[in-house]
Amino acid sequence: MNKVISDFYRVFIRPIDPGLFITRYAAKSVVACVVALAIAYFSGVTGQFLPWCVYGSVIVVLFRAGSTLKKRKIVAATLCLIVACLVPVSTFIANYSIISEVYLFILAFLVFFIPVVGVSAATIGIGVLIVNLIALNSPETIIIGLCRSGYVLYGSTISYLFLFHLWPMRPEKVLSKAGGLALTDIGDYFRCVAGSLGGKKDQEELSEIHERSVASLRRYRRFMEAMNVDPVKELGKYEGPSALYALLIRMLEAVVGLANSRRFAEHSPIFSGLRLKFSQLALKSSIVFDVLAANLSTGKGGVDLSEINTGIAELERELLDLGAYKKDEGLRDEFLEAWGALYGLRNLCFEFEEMCRVCRGGGK
């Protein structure tokens, strides 16, 4: 039981704002449908047309896609317009069994084929299919079909105004905050790596914070999936949640690499001074994680990395001046360990620069 509560806390509660967005969105969706139903009822819509107002409301709140509020508006509006155009056709064609079967086959084929275009297209396709299946199961005249279409637009318009204007939720902000939390956890892990002395207690702390960092990345991925955001879309554009997700993974991998090499040549006194300077520089570098996490939500991307790059270059020169690679084989192996650690830190600094570019887009 404790594990269940702990897992629930880590996934949903800890990131107070982004972690509860699913619950908040579900609540808003229910309220939007209730409001649409109430307005339709009190405005005189009754009988067979009242459910069609609800169908229009449901497709807006249920079938969602887009990493920004603007994109989600486009998906919702497109879905409503397509449904409104096809409902009269489905209603009328339902009177003819053979034609309706062919029509349904074509519609189903398009719905299952369209996901190759993208997640948003897949969402639209499923919404169109479901509403038209309802129309195909209740054949009527074309006039009744047009009336159904009008009430679908009526219900969807109410939900659209409620969700996107009266009580909007901006997915870009949720993803930025979730990404900032993941970046903070990775920064905590990096600090622990930089300050670790290699003891048993340090190893336990490293393992715990590493698991927390991985959980943060998984949480961010879940949020993307909940919003129907393609996790590999626009990876090369340095903007959007996909680029941020890929970069977070690379940064965690870079820190894991440093965790494996931070205690380079620990049995050799020749490298003791270099190890100390390396740890100090790494601890100083950890501040960048906090700055970048804050920049994600503000859209600022400027971080001065010159001091870190200069420090790495100085450590590289000092390592070369030791001349360990010219000595016996054992020292050459330790030299390679030290060089690998410096390379890992430089690689992480490079990822900092990449994150600055993503931050300038606000992670959106």
Side-chain angles (χ1 to χ4, degrees):
M1 187 63 182
N2 288 336
K3 186 178 185 303
V4 173
I5 295 175
S6 176
D7 289 345
F8 184 83
Y9 172 84
R10 186 175 64 253
V11 174
F12 295 106
I13 304 299
R14 181 172 179 269
I16 295 175
D17 184 38
L20 293 175
F21 98 90
I22 296 176
T23 304
R24 287 168 28 237
Y25 188 88
K28 290 181 180 182
S29 299
V30 172
V31 172
C33 291
V34 171
V35 168
L37 179 61
I39 292 176
Y41 179 78
F42 288 111
S43 63
V45 181
T46 57
Q48 63 167 313
F49 295 119
L50 187 59
W52 290 94
C53 289
V54 178
Y55 300 153
S57 175
V58 168
I59 60 176
V60 171
V61 302
L62 191 60
F63 299 99
R64 59 197 185 278
S67 59
T68 65
L69 186 63
K70 181 180 179 180
K71 292 178 181 178
R72 292 167 80 85
K73 286 181 179 180
I74 294 173
V75 172
T78 303
L79 174 57
C80 293
L81 289 174
I82 294 176
V83 169
C85 291
L86 290 180
V87 162
V89 178
S90 300
T91 300
F92 180 72
I93 286 179
N95 293 290
Y96 307 95
S97 58
I98 296 178
I99 297 177
S100 64
E101 289 177 4
V102 174
Y103 172 78
L104 179 59
F105 174 80
I106 295 173
L107 194 62
F109 174 79
L110 291 175
V111 167
F112 286 104
F113 176 77
I114 204 171
V116 300
V117 178
V119 174
S120 298
T123 298
I124 292 172
I126 295 172
V128 169
L129 178 61
I130 290 177
V131 178
N132 278 276
L133 281 173
I134 298 173
L136 285 169
N137 283 317
S138 53
E140 285 288 352
T141 63
I142 189 68
I143 300 299
I144 295 296
L146 290 171
C147 290
R148 288 175 175 177
S149 178
Y151 286 114
V152 166
L153 285 176
Y154 185 60
S156 61
T157 300
I158 295 172
S159 286
Y160 184 92
L161 293 174
F162 185 86
L163 284 177
F164 297 124
H165 294 280
L166 182 61
W167 197 6
M169 175 176 288
R170 301 183 183 278
E172 59 270 30
K173 290 186 177 180
V174 174
L175 288 170
S176 292
K177 290 180 179 178
L181 179 69
L183 195 55
T184 299
D185 284 339
I186 296 173
D188 291 341
Y189 178 44
F190 179 59
R191 264 185 288 271
C192 189
V193 168
S196 174
L197 299 176
K200 183 177 180 181
K201 187 177 180 180
D202 287 346
Q203 291 297 329
E204 292 175 354
E205 186 179 5
L206 275 173
S207 178
E208 179 183 347
I209 299 181
H210 176 258
E211 289 180 7
R212 194 176 76 198
S213 301
V214 172
S216 288
L217 285 179
R218 288 174 178 168
R219 182 193 301 114
Y220 185 82
R221 174 66 180 256
R222 288 193 189 101
F223 291 173
M224 292 176 64
E225 292 171 348
M227 295 176 184
N228 288 337
V229 177
D230 189 344
V232 295
K233 187 179 181 181
E234 299 178 341
L235 287 181
K237 295 184 178 181
Y238 297 100
E239 61 181 15
S242 303
L244 177 57
Y245 178 63
L247 188 50
L248 286 170
I249 292 176
R250 296 209 309 267
M251 294 187 83
L252 180 58
E253 290 177 344
V255 177
V256 169
L258 284 169
N260 295 329
S261 61
R262 70 192 185 284
R263 302 296 298 169
F264 58 86
E266 58 183 341
H267 300 298
S268 176
I270 296 177
F271 296 92
S272 58
L274 191 67
R275 282 196 303 271
L276 178 60
K277 292 178 182 179
F278 175 82
S279 296
Q280 292 172 342
L281 182 60
L283 283 170
K284 185 181 296 183
S285 305
S286 65
I287 300 175
V288 178
F289 282 98
D290 300 326
V291 176
L292 291 174
N295 286 351
L296 266 178
S297 58
T298 61
K300 297 178 181 178
V303 178
D304 187 6
L305 300 173
S306 59
E307 187 178 353
I308 300 174
N309 284 318
T310 300
I312 295 173
E314 290 176 355
L315 289 178
E316 287 175 342
R317 283 195 297 272
E318 184 175 338
L319 178 59
L320 291 173
D321 291 341
L322 287 175
Y325 61 95
K326 300 177 181 178
K327 301 179 182 178
D328 62 79
E329 185 175 347
L331 285 178
R332 282 198 295 272
D333 291 341
E334 292 176 341
F335 166 82
L336 292 175
E337 290 178 15
W339 192 264
L342 293 176
Y343 175 80
L345 188 58
R346 184 173 289 282
N347 180 59
L348 182 61
C349 196
F350 172 76
E351 301 298 357
F352 285 154
E353 294 175 353
E354 299 293 285
M355 182 62 77
C356 287
R357 299 176 65 180
V358 172
C359 287
R360 279 190 285 269
K364 302 171 187 177

